[in-house]
Amino acid sequence: IELASRLHNSKQNVPHYYLSIDLTLDSLMELRSNLNSTMKLDENDGGISVNDLLMKAAAAAMKTVPAANASWMDSFVRVYDSVDINIVVGNGSSLYAPVIRDVGRRGLKAVSDDVATATSVVDGEEGSDPTTVPGFGDVGTFTMVNLGMFGVKSAAPIIREPQACALALGVIENRIVPNDDAESEEIYKESV
């Protein structure tokens, strides 16, 4: 009820507008495969996920556009140096948004490990109460929610006060797209 109340207040107090785009992830999927094979990892055993890569990309974007990594503080705007991302995780009956600290400066594997720890705690694998884990309950500078695993294509997240923006990720799917290779005889190509 407390979370619902805070989100209700945020929706009323923070201006919201939504943008939705489709991305071609062929290069990202290839990078992920190369990283995991080089490190001899798979996604079920501590491997780098697409979500981890998109989190790092979001942190890089926030460094490029500092106004997105900022908070309105009534009489001034505070721009943060560190990109601390709340990642929404849950087990169906409860949702949590632990903070993954300093995503922009840390290595991809370290960020991936923090996300895995947060997810395993919520799923009960660590045998501890999620509210006792560092980062649970804290508000970062940005929020990400991934609904792709549920087949959701698009979502409109509520921006948590005092954050300036949030990112919702949707399902990854193969599509037939126009071929951009002028030399090819094929009109269309398959893309992720």
Side-chain angles (χ1 to χ4, degrees):
I1 293 177
E2 182 183 337
L3 175 63
S5 177
R6 279 188 278 155
L7 290 176
H8 176 71
N9 286 337
S10 289
K11 183 65 175 167
Q12 289 180 325
N13 296 332
V14 177
H16 283 68
Y17 68 94
Y18 300 101
L19 304 172
S20 181
I21 62 168
D22 291 332
L23 300 173
T24 301
L25 297 178
D26 294 337
S27 297
L28 186 96
M29 299 298 279
E30 185 178 336
L31 172 64
R32 177 179 164 261
S33 177
N34 290 340
L35 287 171
N36 285 336
S37 66
T38 300
M39 295 188 297
K40 298 184 179 5
L41 301 170
D42 65 43
E43 191 170 339
N44 297 327
D45 189 30
I48 305 301
S49 70
V50 172
N51 197 65
D52 299 331
L53 290 165
L54 291 172
M55 185 183 293
K56 284 293 286 183
M62 300 205 43
K63 283 299 200 181
T64 303
V65 182
N69 194 39
S71 295
W72 172 247
M73 308 300 260
D74 287 331
S75 61
F76 65 95
V77 175
R78 178 176 179 191
V79 178
Y80 299 98
D81 187 43
S82 175
V83 179
D84 300 328
I85 298 179
N86 288 97
I87 183 87
V88 177
V89 293
N91 60 8
S93 61
S94 300
L95 288 178
Y96 302 96
V99 175
I100 309 300
R101 299 270 179 213
D102 210 6
V103 174
R105 289 192 207 122
R106 295 175 54 221
L108 185 56
K109 180 66 172 125
V111 168
S112 178
D113 289 345
D114 282 358
V115 171
T117 298
T119 303
S120 66
V121 168
V122 168
D123 290 342
E125 294 172 20
E126 295 290 319
S128 64
D129 179 3
T131 59
T132 64
V133 175
F136 276 84
D138 295 345
V139 178
T141 61
F142 181 71
T143 296
M144 278 182 62
V145 58
N146 187 343
L147 299 170
M149 65 196 84
F150 303 110
V152 175
K153 291 185 180 188
S154 178
I158 297 173
I159 299 168
R160 297 175 65 179
E161 287 185 288
Q163 297 176 356
C165 58
L167 174 65
L169 304 173
V171 68
I172 297 173
E173 59 189 5
N174 290 325
R175 292 190 182 169
I176 304 296
V177 295
N179 196 341
D180 54 3
D181 181 5
E183 302 295 320
S184 176
E185 293 181 16
E186 299 295 324
I187 299 173
Y188 298 102
K189 64 180 180 178
E190 186 174 322
S191 184
V192 177

